[in-house]
Short mmCIF file of all heavy atoms in Angstrom, two decimals:
data_model
loop_
_atom_site.label_atom_id
_atom_site.label_comp_id
_atom_site.label_asym_id
_atom_site.label_seq_id
_atom_site.Cartn_x
_atom_site.Cartn_y
_atom_site.Cartn_z
N PRO K 1 121.65 9.89 105.03
CA PRO K 1 121.24 9.21 103.80
C PRO K 1 120.47 10.16 102.88
O PRO K 1 119.64 10.95 103.34
CB PRO K 1 120.35 8.08 104.30
CG PRO K 1 119.80 8.58 105.61
CD PRO K 1 120.89 9.43 106.21
N MET K 2 120.76 10.08 101.60
CA MET K 2 120.00 10.86 100.63
C MET K 2 118.63 10.21 100.45
O MET K 2 118.49 8.98 100.47
CB MET K 2 120.74 10.88 99.30
CG MET K 2 120.22 11.90 98.33
SD MET K 2 121.26 12.05 96.85
CE MET K 2 120.68 13.63 96.23
N ALA K 3 117.60 11.02 100.30
CA ALA K 3 116.24 10.50 100.12
C ALA K 3 116.16 9.68 98.84
O ALA K 3 116.69 10.08 97.80
CB ALA K 3 115.24 11.64 100.09
N ILE K 4 115.48 8.52 98.90
CA ILE K 4 115.47 7.60 97.76
C ILE K 4 114.79 8.20 96.53
O ILE K 4 115.08 7.79 95.40
CB ILE K 4 114.82 6.25 98.13
CG1 ILE K 4 113.37 6.44 98.56
CG2 ILE K 4 115.63 5.54 99.20
CD1 ILE K 4 112.64 5.12 98.81
N GLU K 5 113.93 9.18 96.73
CA GLU K 5 113.26 9.78 95.56
C GLU K 5 114.19 10.71 94.78
O GLU K 5 113.85 11.13 93.67
CB GLU K 5 112.00 10.54 95.99
CG GLU K 5 112.25 11.76 96.87
CD GLU K 5 112.20 11.45 98.36
OE1 GLU K 5 112.34 10.26 98.73
OE2 GLU K 5 112.01 12.40 99.15
N ASP K 6 115.37 11.01 95.34
CA ASP K 6 116.25 11.98 94.69
C ASP K 6 117.39 11.34 93.90
O ASP K 6 118.28 12.04 93.41
CB ASP K 6 116.83 12.94 95.74
CG ASP K 6 115.76 13.83 96.34
OD1 ASP K 6 114.78 14.13 95.63
OD2 ASP K 6 115.89 14.23 97.52
N PHE K 7 117.38 10.02 93.78
CA PHE K 7 118.36 9.34 92.93
C PHE K 7 117.73 8.06 92.39
O PHE K 7 116.69 7.60 92.89
CB PHE K 7 119.64 9.01 93.70
CG PHE K 7 119.46 8.04 94.83
CD1 PHE K 7 119.62 6.68 94.64
CD2 PHE K 7 119.12 8.49 96.10
CE1 PHE K 7 119.45 5.78 95.68
CE2 PHE K 7 118.95 7.60 97.16
CZ PHE K 7 119.12 6.23 96.94
N VAL K 8 118.32 7.51 91.35
CA VAL K 8 117.78 6.29 90.73
C VAL K 8 118.87 5.25 90.57
O VAL K 8 120.05 5.57 90.44
CB VAL K 8 117.15 6.59 89.35
CG1 VAL K 8 115.93 7.46 89.50
CG2 VAL K 8 118.17 7.22 88.40
N PHE K 9 118.44 3.99 90.61
CA PHE K 9 119.27 2.88 90.19
C PHE K 9 118.97 2.61 88.71
O PHE K 9 117.81 2.54 88.32
CB PHE K 9 118.98 1.61 90.98
CG PHE K 9 119.38 1.68 92.43
CD1 PHE K 9 118.50 1.27 93.42
CD2 PHE K 9 120.64 2.11 92.80
CE1 PHE K 9 118.87 1.30 94.75
CE2 PHE K 9 121.02 2.15 94.13
CZ PHE K 9 120.14 1.75 95.12
N ILE K 10 120.02 2.45 87.91
CA ILE K 10 119.84 2.16 86.49
C ILE K 10 120.59 0.87 86.17
O ILE K 10 121.81 0.79 86.35
CB ILE K 10 120.35 3.30 85.60
CG1 ILE K 10 119.70 4.64 86.00
CG2 ILE K 10 120.08 3.00 84.13
CD1 ILE K 10 120.25 5.83 85.24
N THR K 11 119.87 -0.14 85.69
CA THR K 11 120.48 -1.42 85.34
C THR K 11 120.86 -1.46 83.87
O THR K 11 120.56 -0.52 83.11
CB THR K 11 119.52 -2.57 85.69
OG1 THR K 11 118.25 -2.33 85.06
CG2 THR K 11 119.31 -2.67 87.19
N LYS K 12 121.50 -2.53 83.46
CA LYS K 12 122.02 -2.64 82.09
C LYS K 12 120.93 -2.50 81.05
O LYS K 12 121.16 -1.98 79.94
CB LYS K 12 122.75 -3.97 81.92
CG LYS K 12 123.46 -4.14 80.60
CD LYS K 12 124.20 -5.47 80.53
CE LYS K 12 124.91 -5.64 79.20
NZ LYS K 12 125.64 -6.94 79.14
N ASP K 13 119.71 -2.96 81.38
CA ASP K 13 118.59 -2.86 80.44
C ASP K 13 117.90 -1.50 80.50
O ASP K 13 116.79 -1.33 79.97
CB ASP K 13 117.58 -3.97 80.69
CG ASP K 13 117.02 -3.95 82.11
OD1 ASP K 13 117.37 -3.02 82.89
OD2 ASP K 13 116.25 -4.86 82.47
N LYS K 14 118.55 -0.50 81.15
CA LYS K 14 118.08 0.88 81.25
C LYS K 14 116.85 1.05 82.14
O LYS K 14 116.20 2.11 82.13
CB LYS K 14 117.78 1.48 79.86
CG LYS K 14 118.94 1.39 78.88
CD LYS K 14 120.16 2.13 79.41
CE LYS K 14 121.31 2.07 78.42
NZ LYS K 14 122.53 2.72 78.94
N LYS K 15 116.53 0.05 82.92
CA LYS K 15 115.41 0.16 83.84
C LYS K 15 115.81 1.03 85.02
O LYS K 15 116.87 0.85 85.62
CB LYS K 15 114.99 -1.23 84.33
CG LYS K 15 113.78 -1.21 85.24
CD LYS K 15 113.38 -2.62 85.66
CE LYS K 15 112.15 -2.60 86.57
NZ LYS K 15 111.77 -3.98 87.00
N GLU K 16 114.96 1.99 85.37
CA GLU K 16 115.23 2.91 86.47
C GLU K 16 114.29 2.61 87.63
O GLU K 16 113.08 2.47 87.45
CB GLU K 16 115.06 4.36 86.02
CG GLU K 16 116.04 4.79 84.93
CD GLU K 16 115.98 6.28 84.64
OE1 GLU K 16 115.25 7.00 85.36
OE2 GLU K 16 116.67 6.72 83.70
N THR K 17 114.87 2.50 88.83
CA THR K 17 114.09 2.23 90.03
C THR K 17 114.60 3.09 91.18
O THR K 17 115.71 3.61 91.14
CB THR K 17 114.19 0.75 90.43
OG1 THR K 17 115.57 0.40 90.59
CG2 THR K 17 113.55 -0.15 89.38
N HIS K 18 113.78 3.21 92.21
CA HIS K 18 114.16 3.96 93.40
C HIS K 18 114.28 3.00 94.58
O HIS K 18 113.36 2.23 94.85
CB HIS K 18 113.11 5.03 93.73
CG HIS K 18 113.04 6.15 92.75
ND1 HIS K 18 113.89 7.23 92.79
CD2 HIS K 18 112.22 6.34 91.69
CE1 HIS K 18 113.59 8.06 91.81
NE2 HIS K 18 112.58 7.55 91.11
N GLY K 19 115.40 3.07 95.28
CA GLY K 19 115.55 2.33 96.54
C GLY K 19 115.95 0.88 96.43
O GLY K 19 116.47 0.30 97.38
N LYS K 20 115.73 0.25 95.26
CA LYS K 20 115.99 -1.18 95.12
C LYS K 20 116.19 -1.51 93.65
O LYS K 20 115.51 -0.95 92.78
CB LYS K 20 114.81 -1.98 95.69
CG LYS K 20 114.90 -3.48 95.57
CD LYS K 20 113.66 -4.11 96.20
CE LYS K 20 113.66 -5.62 96.10
NZ LYS K 20 112.45 -6.22 96.74
N ALA K 21 117.13 -2.40 93.36
CA ALA K 21 117.36 -2.83 91.97
C ALA K 21 117.70 -4.31 91.95
O ALA K 21 118.32 -4.83 92.89
CB ALA K 21 118.48 -2.02 91.34
N VAL K 22 117.30 -4.96 90.86
CA VAL K 22 117.60 -6.37 90.66
C VAL K 22 118.41 -6.52 89.38
O VAL K 22 118.00 -6.01 88.32
CB VAL K 22 116.31 -7.22 90.57
CG1 VAL K 22 116.67 -8.69 90.34
CG2 VAL K 22 115.48 -7.07 91.84
N VAL K 23 119.56 -7.19 89.46
CA VAL K 23 120.41 -7.40 88.29
C VAL K 23 120.69 -8.90 88.15
O VAL K 23 120.60 -9.66 89.12
CB VAL K 23 121.75 -6.65 88.41
CG1 VAL K 23 121.52 -5.15 88.37
CG2 VAL K 23 122.50 -7.04 89.67
N THR K 24 121.03 -9.29 86.94
CA THR K 24 121.34 -10.68 86.68
C THR K 24 122.75 -10.82 86.13
O THR K 24 123.12 -10.13 85.17
CB THR K 24 120.36 -11.27 85.65
OG1 THR K 24 119.02 -11.20 86.18
CG2 THR K 24 120.69 -12.73 85.35
N ILE K 25 123.53 -11.68 86.77
CA ILE K 25 124.85 -12.02 86.25
C ILE K 25 124.66 -13.21 85.31
O ILE K 25 124.20 -14.28 85.71
CB ILE K 25 125.84 -12.37 87.39
CG1 ILE K 25 126.01 -11.17 88.31
CG2 ILE K 25 127.19 -12.80 86.81
CD1 ILE K 25 126.93 -11.42 89.49
#
């Protein structure tokens, strides 16, 4: 597994998080 600090989740509202993301359908 890649370390969570070395990549980001980016949601539609441009919010960037590490390790976990919340999206709304």
Side-chain angles (χ1 to χ4, degrees):
M2 194 173 197
I4 60 175
E5 65 268 19
D6 293 330
F7 64 92
V8 294
F9 292 132
I10 305 175
T11 54
K12 186 177 180 180
D13 58 3
K14 305 301 181 183
K15 183 178 180 181
E16 297 188 5
T17 56
H18 291 277
K20 178 179 179 179
V22 179
V23 293
T24 300
I25 299 179

